[in-house]
Amino acid sequence: MGYCTHEPIEVGRLMAAVADGERGGTVAFVGSVRGGAEDGPVVAIEYSAYEEMVAEEFGRIIAEARERWPEAVVAAQHRLGQVPLGEPSIAVVAAAPHRREAFAACRHVVEEAKRRLPVWKKEQFQDGGTRWREH
Amino acid sequence: MPSGGDVLAPTPRTITVECRFFARYAQALGRDALTLELPASATVADAVRELRRALPAAGVLPERPLAAVNREHASLDGRLAHGDELAFLPPLAGG
């Protein structure tokens, strides 16, 4: 399972990838496309990325989490291409023997992914207009 | 074993790096890649200056853009090497 996908994210597959009888706590973060009213209703977001770097940077971020919380296992995916309103654009799932490590590892990967992944989004409005969205 | 009198190969005076542009930058420049020749001791900041000088549309690049060298975030004073992949990244907006 790659870190980038052009298909809908299957959170269940990510959860299955980290599942293990010894890991009693699993935390899933799912970020989805929201409407936003600033410039009119957003109907979709077109995500583009420097895909080779996303793969490497996601790997580095997850390795950092593994170093800080050695018992946690993390799986993550970012969706690229056109993502309709309400559908997930990113999912991070962390499993650990106890909830504290699972929450911490999941949060670390989500925050660092937002800060470091080379991904860009272009909002698509109901009237057909588009706009690059920068945080 | 080379003797002490051997002449070392001369250091190349220029390097080439493969520049890549994404999202808003690629759109404004009308291209997503460019091979750039630079002095051998060039930094990322030198590459930015050279691009802004050589390409009128490169004004879209800020003086201090986010950059990555060989798929890792890089600082502007980072030294470039021949064959490096130098990517210019518009403000990140993932998630």
Side-chain angles (χ1 to χ4, degrees):
Chain A
M1 203 166 16
Y3 290 122
C4 296
T5 177
H6 291 259
E7 305 298 323
I9 293 175
E10 294 179 55
V11 181
R13 284 188 67 197
L14 294 174
M15 292 182 73
V18 298
D20 180 287
E22 300 306 309
R23 301 185 198 113
T26 302
V27 172
F29 172 82
V30 179
S32 302
V33 171
R34 62 184 147 82
E38 207 175 298
D39 290 318
V42 171
V43 292
I45 289 181
E46 177 82 23
Y47 284 90
S48 61
Y50 182 5
E51 288 194 46
E52 306 94 309
M53 182 172 163
V54 169
E56 292 189 21
E57 196 69 22
F58 241 148
R60 284 189 281 268
I61 293 168
I62 289 173
E64 288 163 14
R66 184 81 186 187
E67 207 162 290
R68 285 179 68 176
W69 301 281
E71 291 183 302
V73 176
V74 180
Q77 266 192 331
H78 204 302
R79 184 171 167 188
L80 302 176
Q82 183 163 305
V83 184
L85 186 69
E87 291 194 17
S89 54
I90 187 171
V92 176
V93 178
H98 303 287
R99 67 185 181 283
R100 192 184 299 270
E101 291 83 358
F103 273 117
C106 183
R107 176 152 202 173
H108 173 85
V109 173
V110 171
E111 299 296 341
E112 291 303 301
K114 296 281 285 187
R115 205 170 68 78
R116 287 158 53 182
L117 292 185
V119 175
W120 301 279
K121 53 190 176 193
K122 191 186 253 184
E123 291 175 325
Q124 302 182 341
F125 300 104
Q126 212 158 38
D127 64 4
T130 62
R131 187 185 67 170
W132 290 106
R133 177 79 190 189
E134 294 173 355
H135 290 156
Chain B
M1 287 293 284
S3 72
D6 281 356
V7 177
L8 295 172
T11 308
R13 286 191 207 150
T14 62
I15 56 171
T16 57
V17 297
E18 301 302 319
C19 296
R20 295 186 66 180
F21 309 102
F22 294 90
R24 190 162 56 78
Y25 295 167
Q27 188 177 296
L29 289 166
R31 62 167 80 209
D32 57 13
L34 170 75
T35 301
L36 190 65
E37 189 171 326
L38 293 164
S41 60
T43 63
V44 174
D46 293 329
V48 176
R49 273 191 290 275
E50 177 57 20
L51 281 170
R52 286 166 59 96
R53 192 193 63 76
L55 289 179
V60 68
L61 292 178
E63 283 179 31
R64 304 181 58 80
L66 268 181
V69 175
N70 299 332
R71 299 162 301 284
E72 276 199 70
H73 288 289
S75 66
L76 288 170
D77 57 8
R79 188 69 70 86
L80 293 165
H82 183 68
D84 276 350
E85 182 173 295
L86 170 59
F88 294 100
L89 314 175
L92 308 183

